[in-house]
Amino acid sequence: MAFYYRMDQLLTFPSGQVKYMFQSSFEKIRETQDMAHVVFITDETIFRYYKNLFKGYRTLLVHAGEGAKELSTIERLSKELVNLEATRKTILIGVGGGVVTDITGFLASVYMRGISFGFVPTTLLGMVDAAAGGKNGVNLGFNKNMIGTINQPDFILYDTSFLETLTDDEWSNGFAEIIKYACIFDEELYNELHKTSLSFYKNDAPALASLIERCIGWKNKTVMEDEQEKGVRKLLNFGHTAAHAIEQLYEIPHGKAVGIGMIIASMISASVTGLDKSVTEDIKKLLSLYHLPVKFRFDPKRAMELLRIDKKRNENLMDYILLDRPGKASVHSLPFEVIENALSAYESEN
């Protein structure tokens, strides 16, 4: 069963309420916010494409890309907020992809011990995943999202017109997370995705809007049950454990790394949960259909060095999300040698 939200919805989480503004327009910010208190945070790429949207408003820029997600960025932006005489009444609005929303949420959570913030995700990955859920943070060296908070934004505004300037690679990036939701929660969607294509959703605005809301419905249902990730929320990490190591080591886009991570997780599932081995091949076909790589050369030993200090580690075990079948996942504490063997098996096949 899929979970949908329509237009403006106020959802309550343990750490706060979030107004979801689906099928909306950037202009609505001016209608709903006191612009005298707004400070926008965006990256250089978004600012270059949409400079007129920020004209006349206080705007802080970060570099585009994962490299901006570090404590030095938070320190710089904090100093710039002081120079702007930002107060506890200030609201930060992050306009961009997952990097921008992560930075904005973390900065807002710690500046003056916490100020209001909202998001306008501009990438498909941001819309279906990164902006939602309340996780905010930055990387610590090679350790992804090691420093952060769980703090919900006041609102998330969805304006899909931003996707018109998205590159083909970024469209594919977003579909990695969509495929993830299908694998762990939604067998119906899993089957639908096999019958459609990236170009179909790019050219069918209603279908895309419905798809975004469907994914966010699954994520919000999960986060409402377990905001602090003590149980069911861990399922959202399907494909992400190996992906974070590969992403940090080789600086490949998040979605591409997640796709590789899902293949590795399904390979482990075949021996741990009894998942039919044909599912791994089906997932590979699905990733290829949405222009995501299924082969990637990496060093398993270097990846394991990062995994051994991953925040999901519990002594010599690691929580790993495996598939029972398409549409149903479960959490397993795996010994490191099982994970390393799977990484080596994947790498040897490629």
Side-chain angles (χ1 to χ4, degrees):
M1 178 181 178
F3 293 83
Y4 294 92
Y5 300 108
R6 292 298 179 191
M7 306 306 286
D8 290 359
Q9 294 283 332
L10 187 64
L11 304 182
T12 301
F13 298 88
S15 68
Q17 290 187 320
V18 184
K19 186 174 186 179
Y20 277 81
M21 294 184 278
F22 289 111
Q23 301 178 42
S24 191
S25 167
F26 188 85
E27 297 299 321
K28 195 166 185 178
I29 290 178
R30 298 183 179 92
E31 299 171 12
T32 58
Q33 304 297 322
D34 182 347
M35 299 306 293
H37 293 304
V38 167
V39 175
F40 288 111
I41 296 178
T42 192
D43 67 37
E44 293 164 340
T45 301
I46 294 295
F47 189 76
R48 185 171 66 251
Y49 276 118
Y50 301 103
K51 188 176 293 186
N52 286 339
L53 294 180
F54 305 100
K55 190 174 183 179
Y57 301 113
R58 296 182 294 178
T59 303
L60 302 180
L61 299 182
V62 299
H63 295 305
E66 188 74 13
K69 278 181 58 173
E70 54 184 26
L71 282 172
S72 61
T73 302
I74 302 301
E75 181 179 12
R76 174 179 65 81
L77 292 174
S78 297
K79 291 177 180 177
E80 292 184 18
L81 287 176
V82 171
N83 291 336
L84 290 174
E85 299 182 354
T87 69
R88 287 192 173 94
K89 291 184 178 180
T90 298
I91 178 167
L92 301 185
I93 300 179
V95 184
V99 169
V100 169
T101 55
D102 268 1
I103 289 171
T104 302
F106 182 57
L107 176 61
S109 298
V110 298
Y111 183 78
M112 290 189 172
R113 298 191 178 93
I115 61 176
S116 297
F117 63 103
F119 295 148
V120 182
T122 61
T123 64
L124 183 60
L125 192 151
M127 290 182 184
V128 300
D129 186 70
K135 284 186 178 181
N136 316 285
V138 294
N139 304 328
L140 186 64
F142 281 118
N143 300 305
K144 189 172 173 66
N145 301 324
M146 185 62 76
I147 301 174
T149 63
I150 294 180
N151 188 18
Q152 298 290 345
D154 286 12
F155 68 86
I156 305 177
L157 184 148
Y158 287 77
D159 182 346
T160 54
S161 69
F162 282 107
L163 301 180
E164 293 172 6
T165 55
L166 214 59
T167 64
D168 289 343
D169 269 359
E170 283 300 327
W171 275 93
S172 296
N173 247 352
F175 267 94
E177 295 289 354
I178 293 167
I179 292 168
K180 176 196 76 175
Y181 289 119
C183 285
I184 62 177
F185 293 135
D186 196 334
E187 186 176 12
E188 181 183 345
L189 177 59
Y190 181 85
N191 292 329
E192 286 178 14
L193 290 173
H194 277 90
K195 298 173 185 176
T196 50
S197 65
L198 194 152
S199 60
F200 167 76
Y201 288 107
K202 285 177 71 172
N203 294 294
D204 190 324
L208 178 64
S210 178
L211 183 63
I212 291 169
E213 292 170 34
R214 185 171 186 162
C215 292
I216 288 300
W218 282 117
K219 182 160 192 177
N220 282 336
K221 178 181 182 294
T222 307
V223 175
M224 284 176 180
E225 292 179 27
D226 176 30
E227 189 177 38
Q228 296 296 318
E229 201 172 302
K230 304 297 184 184
V232 68
R233 184 170 182 170
K234 293 179 181 180
L235 296 177
L236 296 171
N237 291 320
F238 177 64
H240 284 61
T241 306
H244 282 169
I246 295 169
E247 180 183 358
Q248 292 298 94
L249 283 172
Y250 298 98
E251 298 183 351
I252 68 171
H254 178 71
K256 292 184 178 182
V258 167
I260 295 161
M262 288 192 286
I263 295 171
I264 293 169
S266 66
M267 291 170 63
I268 299 174
S269 300
S271 58
V272 176
T273 70
L275 180 73
D276 194 302
K277 291 183 179 181
S278 64
V279 176
T280 300
E281 297 307 311
D282 283 345
I283 291 174
K284 288 180 181 179
K285 291 176 184 176
L286 195 52
L287 293 169
S288 295
L289 184 61
Y290 290 88
H291 306 165
L292 288 157
V294 297
K295 295 183 178 182
F296 186 78
R297 300 302 302 271
F298 64 90
D299 185 338
K301 291 190 179 300
R302 289 191 69 198
M304 282 306 303
E305 288 173 4
L306 288 189
L307 289 177
R308 289 180 186 278
I309 55 175
D310 189 280
K311 56 186 179 295
K312 294 183 286 297
R313 173 185 176 176
N314 181 14
E315 296 183 352
N316 292 319
L317 299 172
M318 175 170 286
D319 284 343
Y320 221 96
I321 312 308
L322 304 179
L323 287 186
D324 301 319
R325 57 174 174 78
K328 188 176 187 300
S330 51
V331 184
H332 296 260
S333 292
L334 299 181
F336 281 114
E337 57 263 30
V338 171
I339 301 170
E340 185 165 9
N341 287 341
L343 296 178
S344 297
Y346 171 87
E347 205 280 334
S348 66
E349 290 181 3
N350 297 285

